[in-house]
Amino acid sequence: MVQVLYRAGAVPNYKINETDVAKSDLLPRLTEIYANRAERVMFVKGDDDINFAYIAEVIDIGKAANVDHIGLMTPKIMAGQ
């Protein structure tokens, strides 16, 4: 899962699973992670206050990394876990 974490007045922080990742490292890391997977499914979770443009950007990066299916994790979905 890629997380996009809100920071007031600043660009967001990014995580792949629980590991902090610089935005510039998202594409190479995701490309590496999904290179040998039969099922290339990625989930994106953004904080409630994040501008959706940052989420869309991560979706585009996932597509560039050859991820086949990208799902969005919403607060309602997360509450059911």
Side-chain angles (χ1 to χ4, degrees):
M1 173 176 25
V2 178
Q3 298 177 62
V4 185
L5 307 169
Y6 178 76
R7 294 187 328 157
V11 295
N13 286 338
Y14 300 88
K15 289 187 176 199
I16 296 177
N17 296 322
E18 293 300 318
T19 304
D20 290 323
V21 178
K23 180 182 166 190
S24 61
D25 292 333
L26 284 173
L27 180 58
R29 278 293 297 135
L30 292 173
T31 301
E32 178 185 337
I33 289 167
Y34 289 99
N36 297 315
R37 289 194 181 183
E39 290 188 23
R40 292 187 296 262
V41 178
M42 179 178 90
F43 291 95
V44 180
K45 177 184 180 282
D47 282 344
D48 290 344
D49 295 328
I50 201 79
N51 183 319
F52 188 78
Y54 292 111
I55 303 297
E57 198 170 29
V58 170
I59 292 169
D60 289 343
I61 291 168
K63 288 293 186 182
N66 295 314
V67 176
D68 295 324
H69 302 285
I70 300 174
L72 299 177
M73 300 295 291
T74 66
K76 188 173 187 179
I77 291 171
M78 297 299 291
Q81 290 185 349

